[in-house]
Amino acid sequence: MLKTEPPLDVVVVGAGVVGAACAYYAARAGLAVTVVDRGPVAGGTTGAGEGNLLVSDKEPGPELDLALLSLRLWRELADDLGAAMEYEPKGGVVVSSTPAGQEALRAFAAQQAAVGVVAEEIPAERLQELEPHLSPRMAGGFHYPQDAQVQPALAAAHLLREARRLGAKLITGETVRAVRRRPDGAVLGVETDRRRLDAPAVVNAAGTWGGELAGLAGVHLPVLPRRGFVLVTEPLPRIIRHKVYAADYVADVASGSAGLQTSAVIEGTPGGPVLIGASRERVGFDRTLSQEALHRLAAQAAELFPVLADVTVMRVYRGFRPYLPDHLPAIGADPRVPGLYHACGHEGAGIGLAPATGLLIAEQLTGKQPELDLVPFRADRFPAA
Amino acid sequence: MPTSPSDVPRYDLAVIGAGPAGLAAAVTAADLGLRCALLDAGRQTGGQYYRHPAPGLGAARPDRLHHGWSAYTGLADRLAAHERAGRVGFLGGHQVWALERTGDGYAVHVTLGPEAADRATVPAAAVLLATGAYERQLPFPGWTLPGVVTAGGAQAMLKAGLVLPGRRIVVAGSGPLLLAAASSLVTAGAEVPAVVEATAYLGYARRPGVLAAVPAKLVEGAGHGSALLRHRVRLRLRSAVVEAHGTDRVTAVTVARLDADWRPVPGTERRIDCDALAVGHGLLPQIELATELGAATRTGPDGAVALQVDARMLTTVPGLWSAGETNGVGGADLAIAEGELAAHAVADRAPRPALVRRRARLRAFAELMAAAHRPGPGWTGWLRPDTDVCRCEEVPVARIREAVEELGAGDPRTVKLLTRAGMGWCQGRMCGPAVAWLAGSGEPGPDRRPFACPVPLSQLAAEQRAAAEG
């Protein structure tokens, strides 16, 4: 016999950073919220990432609009929670190794400038002022002062703590087995392996398992995993000041290739270790350590920052980015199932895009006009398989 | 010198760890016609158990510090013969950091030498894990003071350097290693005012049949007992060191009685002056190379996670075998028996029935010992909010409790992500059990460490290179 709980306004499935942000903004809007996750807080993609809050890697379009809104919200959240979440508005530096690459960056930055992204071209001879240990063999770069970083697990945990202070409940270690619906299809709540949660709204913030949760609600949402590794070095003094990445990272992020792609993304952390990403490959949920990915990440890092050749790698983060075929997340009410909302499929940008996602969902839940047009993020944009 | 993996003939078997299990496995496998690589992080064979005195010390009688030294020299002689015949390559100074499954076997990834200055890859059709164990530690106030060493560390200092950690040494914790350590320390001239054991040893008495079947263990225990009696070492059962005192160095400890759950009983504290404390709570199997490949594990009666193996010592990963402490801590005799058994299985030869029976007997005894020394849940009662749990990252009890109670962490991994406990040099080997208890998940789950040891970035960046023949 399942336990029943008092009726709620909304159940959020997923205690990663996106679910945490949904719960936070919903609770702040006065809704009765319960968050349920089959694992712990930040147990999925959130706990395996670097915590990038980026506009620099996004071309003008719906995702960049979302990122700009999100960065503003992160700044607001940082007023109270900044230190706890290790929020660092440190800026990003994108570097190119060839004049042609620099030219491409210039064109990219010009497009971004039109929608409010700040970027300053840094000629090769000035790169060392920003990053003293950067290889002198670079052709130039761009500085993006709006880029920032948080420690993602701390960000999720502290957003959830705030949500709980506002009355939300958190249930971990329970798997949602069913999304209950009325005969007319509208959502009635969920069933976990231990209890029934009644609510007229369910938010799918299940990350890489978002497709399966959508399936429980009877709809198709093709969320797939894209594996990534991040090398974590021994604690070091602050030798890397910004988030620094190679220009080809942008192309890799946007690519649909299934094969292994790696492009150097390097940054320091308040804890001391330097994080070295980023690899992408589509291999399902295979957790096997890829020697080839490790090798390429290390080689590229040493090329960008020769000083890193002398450091020690302590461990590796591995995770699966939840991606949708067009590389945009699914956000908002699902027109196919009244009461079902999606907040998943953010691929590698989930940390950065979480607050905007949470705010937009909360606005929809409370009947407000969302700040951004959610049409590009509609979950029914994919034809059924 | 070979320069790429394809230049090196593949070994039939790579044995990782040259302690009792690995040595026995390598020489037995070579006896049965297999071509073996025997890898160890140390320069010499023997592992932690048969630890050698440093060469410069001129120790004439290492056997005095060792039980079963003759067993070691026997194995070492057989190894030397196989090495001369080219059947075994001993690759000392090879620290394995990852196993990779290849199409037809394994690539064993190693860093070389004390400075980990180079890398190599050893190809093998099968791998036998004989990586042993490391000490389980439970923190208490003052445990980070100089002069506080692990029980195994004290023995290692004695065996390798012939030095004592102090003159007046309290030995505390739980498990048979305490008696062995105390016995070695008093024999080497130290004063041991007390051996403080958290359990009452009742576990052994409940199953006398198992104990009686292993007379060698009784002899060994009696040997320790008589040395301790001779030196008037006081054995305090159902007690624990609940605090170490001192500023620059430990100068005294507080010992308290424990209830059946290991909770300190208020009002029973007494102070014992000392200049060193050797503390140990048994051993934990070192299995991350296997769990990284998805090998199934079991939680032993001592609460420690060990590899799950079948009667042939095969793990649940094809071609990956395991012998000795990695299958559950049980001592050198058991490790040797399992090493021999595993070698037979890898060579696809039937072992002698007597060997199978001997292993079963020793394993049953190990399980009994393990059950007797399982830490009780009340041990956290001797912690204070400011007691460091993770000494690498200096994470105190209060921060871990905050992560659990305020931030929703209910498991060791989340605690680690939220507090950095376990992210330092030891990668959670020291604080892992304590963090798991404080996270409310009881005993820890299997270790997941993608890298079994830190690896220089330059080695990852370099192209793979095959190991030179040892």
Side-chain angles (χ1 to χ4, degrees):
Chain A
M1 186 64 202
L2 296 177
K3 256 168 64 174
T4 42
E5 309 268 333
L8 299 158
D9 294 317
V10 56
V11 173
V12 176
V13 183
V17 71
V18 175
C22 290
Y24 170 75
Y25 286 105
R28 222 178 61 167
L31 299 179
V33 187
T34 289
V35 179
V36 59
D37 196 295
R38 65 180 192 173
V41 170
T45 315
T46 299
E50 299 140 298
N52 292 326
L53 317 181
L54 301 186
V55 290
S56 55
D57 64 338
K58 294 173 183 67
E59 61 185 355
E63 196 190 4
L64 183 54
D65 297 342
L66 202 58
L68 284 163
L69 170 60
S70 226
L71 274 176
R72 197 187 84 212
L73 297 173
W74 275 119
R75 280 194 295 275
E76 287 172 23
L77 291 168
D79 284 345
D80 291 328
L81 303 174
M85 302 187 307
E86 297 184 359
Y87 173 78
E88 286 190 293
K90 60 182 176 184
V93 174
V94 190
V95 295
S96 57
S97 52
T98 62
Q102 184 68 8
E103 183 50 46
L105 284 183
R106 203 172 290 135
F108 195 65
Q111 291 172 35
Q112 292 173 315
V115 290
V117 174
V118 181
E120 184 199 353
E121 178 156 9
I122 310 293
E125 62 275 12
R126 276 189 51 220
L127 278 172
Q128 265 76 20
E129 289 170 26
L130 290 175
E131 288 294 340
H133 295 281
L134 191 67
S135 160
R137 288 203 297 268
M138 295 295 144
F142 271 79
H143 177 220
Y144 285 86
Q146 289 156 303
D147 284 355
Q149 189 179 11
V150 290
Q151 204 272 33
L154 284 172
H158 281 279
L159 282 173
L160 279 170
R161 166 141 87 175
E162 292 306 306
R164 289 157 83 193
R165 281 190 180 146
L166 295 165
K169 269 191 66 180
L170 170 67
I171 300 168
T172 53
E174 283 185 34
T175 305
V176 170
R177 300 280 183 211
V179 175
R180 294 171 42 249
R181 296 164 69 189
R182 285 202 314 236
D184 68 359
V187 159
L188 280 172
V190 301
E191 261 176 33
T192 74
D193 31 19
R194 301 209 10 225
R195 73 188 89 206
R196 210 178 86 188
L197 296 166
D198 294 329
V202 169
V203 177
N204 172 14
T208 35
W209 293 275
E212 286 169 38
L213 193 85
L216 290 179
V219 291
H220 172 68
L221 186 66
V223 182
L224 290 167
R226 199 172 182 190
R227 185 171 74 182
F229 294 102
V230 175
L231 306 179
V232 185
T233 73
E234 63 187 306
L236 297 169
R238 211 61 198 263
I239 56 172
I240 294 163
R241 299 176 181 176
H242 303 80
K243 177 196 172 68
V244 181
Y245 62 91
D248 45 359
Y249 173 73
V250 178
D252 277 4
V253 170
S255 156
S257 165
L260 173 65
Q261 298 166 289
T262 55
S263 45
V265 183
I266 298 162
E267 58 211 306
T269 59
V274 168
L275 306 180
I276 298 169
S279 72
R280 291 165 191 275
E281 54 196 316
R282 280 156 49 183
V283 289
F285 284 108
D286 180 0
R287 293 181 57 82
T288 308
L289 203 62
S290 158
Q291 290 290 332
E292 178 59 22
L294 302 184
H295 162 66
R296 286 210 225 161
L297 289 175
Q300 288 169 346
E303 213 173 284
L304 218 47
F305 286 97
V307 64
L308 290 178
D310 299 323
V311 310
T312 294
V313 179
M314 300 290 293
R315 56 183 184 275
V316 177
Y317 286 135
R318 98 192 92 191
F320 300 93
R321 306 173 184 88
Y323 81 94
L324 284 160
D326 58 1
H327 303 283
L328 284 180
I331 300 173
D334 191 321
R336 298 165 294 184
V337 180
L340 178 66
Y341 295 77
H342 298 286
C344 61
H346 295 74
E347 200 160 342
I351 314 298
L353 303 180
T357 304
L359 179 70
L360 294 166
I361 295 274
E363 284 170 345
Q364 270 197 330
L365 286 168
T366 50
K368 288 189 187 145
Q369 177 66 34
E371 278 180 50
L372 289 181
D373 177 14
L374 292 182
V375 169
F377 306 115
R378 267 171 59 154
D380 63 345
R381 67 188 190 267
F382 306 102
Chain B
M1 182 181 285
T3 52
S4 80
S6 56
D7 293 347
V8 173
R10 203 168 60 132
Y11 289 98
D12 298 319
L13 177 66
V15 178
I16 303 172
L23 267 174
V27 298
T28 306
D31 287 347
L32 298 171
L34 299 183
R35 202 169 152 273
C36 299
L38 176 60
L39 298 92
D40 198 282
R43 288 255 150 237
Q44 287 174 291
T45 61
Q48 296 292 328
Y49 188 77
Y50 302 127
R51 188 183 277 272
H52 297 254
L57 295 171
R61 298 286 310 277
D63 53 307
R64 285 198 177 166
L65 297 168
H66 284 284
H67 298 279
W69 189 253
S70 64
Y72 169 68
T73 52
L75 289 168
D77 289 346
R78 285 166 67 195
L79 177 70
H82 282 308
E83 281 195 276
R84 281 192 301 273
R87 287 184 292 264
V88 178
F90 173 62
L91 306 175
H94 280 53
Q95 173 105 46
V96 178
W97 59 269
L99 296 177
E100 182 188 8
R101 291 182 70 181
T102 55
D104 57 351
Y106 285 87
V108 180
H109 295 281
V110 299
T111 67
L112 297 174
E115 304 293 321
D118 207 353
R119 81 174 284 181
T121 304
V122 179
V127 169
L128 193 151
L129 211 60
T131 42
Y134 59 95
E135 284 190 87
R136 169 158 58 193
Q137 303 193 46
L138 300 178
F140 52 91
W143 75 303
T144 56
L145 276 173
V148 179
V149 298
T150 64
Q155 278 207 305
M157 283 167 79
L158 206 51
K159 287 177 183 175
L162 309 175
V163 291
L164 288 163
R167 303 302 309 164
R168 188 175 153 86
I169 309 161
V170 171
V171 177
S174 186
L177 189 59
L178 298 191
L179 293 183
S183 160
S184 306
L185 292 171
V186 292
T187 306
E191 184 191 351
V192 175
V195 172
V196 185
E197 161 64 52
T199 71
Y201 280 128
L202 283 176
Y204 307 84
R206 289 199 195 108
R207 299 271 308 279
V210 180
L211 197 56
V214 193
K217 286 281 168 194
L218 287 177
V219 174
E220 191 182 315
H224 295 319
S226 65
L228 297 178
L229 271 177
R230 218 168 36 244
H231 291 89
R232 291 176 202 192
V233 174
R234 171 105 193 257
L235 181 60
R236 289 177 186 275
L237 296 176
R238 289 211 166 180
S239 303
V241 166
V242 294
E243 181 168 10
H245 307 277
T247 44
D248 302 329
R249 184 182 171 84
V250 60
T251 53
V253 296
T254 296
V255 172
R257 294 271 296 169
L258 301 181
D259 68 14
D261 285 336
W262 287 39
R263 202 166 284 107
V265 179
T268 62
E269 298 86 358
R270 56 191 302 156
R271 206 177 156 102
I272 301 176
D273 290 334
C274 60
D275 62 3
L277 167 65
V279 62
H281 285 97
L283 302 172
L284 297 174
Q286 182 142 307
I287 58 176
E288 62 263 320
L289 287 170
T291 51
E292 178 57 30
L293 295 180
T297 58
R298 66 175 183 115
T299 300
D302 52 355
V305 179
L307 291 177
Q308 185 186 310
V309 290
D310 66 12
R312 301 171 303 156
M313 310 295 115
L314 181 63
T315 70
T316 57
V317 178
L320 181 64
W321 310 73
S322 164
E325 312 289 51
T326 41
N327 299 341
V329 170
D333 294 344
L334 174 58
I336 290 172
E338 291 196 344
E340 291 176 357
L341 269 185
H344 278 86
V346 176
D348 201 18
R349 300 274 280 274
R352 284 170 291 115
L355 176 61
V356 177
R357 285 197 302 273
R358 178 174 159 74
R359 184 263 172 178
R361 215 164 51 227
L362 289 165
R363 182 49 78 188
F365 177 75
E367 301 281 300
L368 192 64
M369 287 273 252
H373 294 288
R374 179 185 198 122
W379 74 266
T380 52
W382 67 58
L383 295 173
R384 298 206 193 114
D386 64 350
T387 307
D388 271 337
V389 174
C390 168
R391 51 201 298 177
C392 303
E393 294 284 331
E394 295 176 3
V395 183
V397 168
R399 285 247 310 281
I400 291 174
R401 294 216 160 114
E402 184 204 14
V404 173
E405 286 155 22
E406 305 269 320
L407 297 177
D411 67 302
R413 180 175 183 270
T414 313
V415 169
K416 175 175 162 180
L417 280 171
L418 299 179
T419 66
R420 304 192 55 75
M423 286 195 186
W425 274 104
C426 83
Q427 290 291 288
R429 286 182 179 84
M430 261 188 274
C431 65
V435 168
W437 280 102
L438 291 170
S441 57
E443 280 132 357
D447 287 335
R448 292 303 289 256
R449 296 187 188 99
F451 288 7
C453 67
V455 183
L457 184 128
S458 56
Q459 286 184 31
L460 295 175
E463 293 296 332
Q464 293 185 23
R465 193 179 69 79
E469 292 280 322

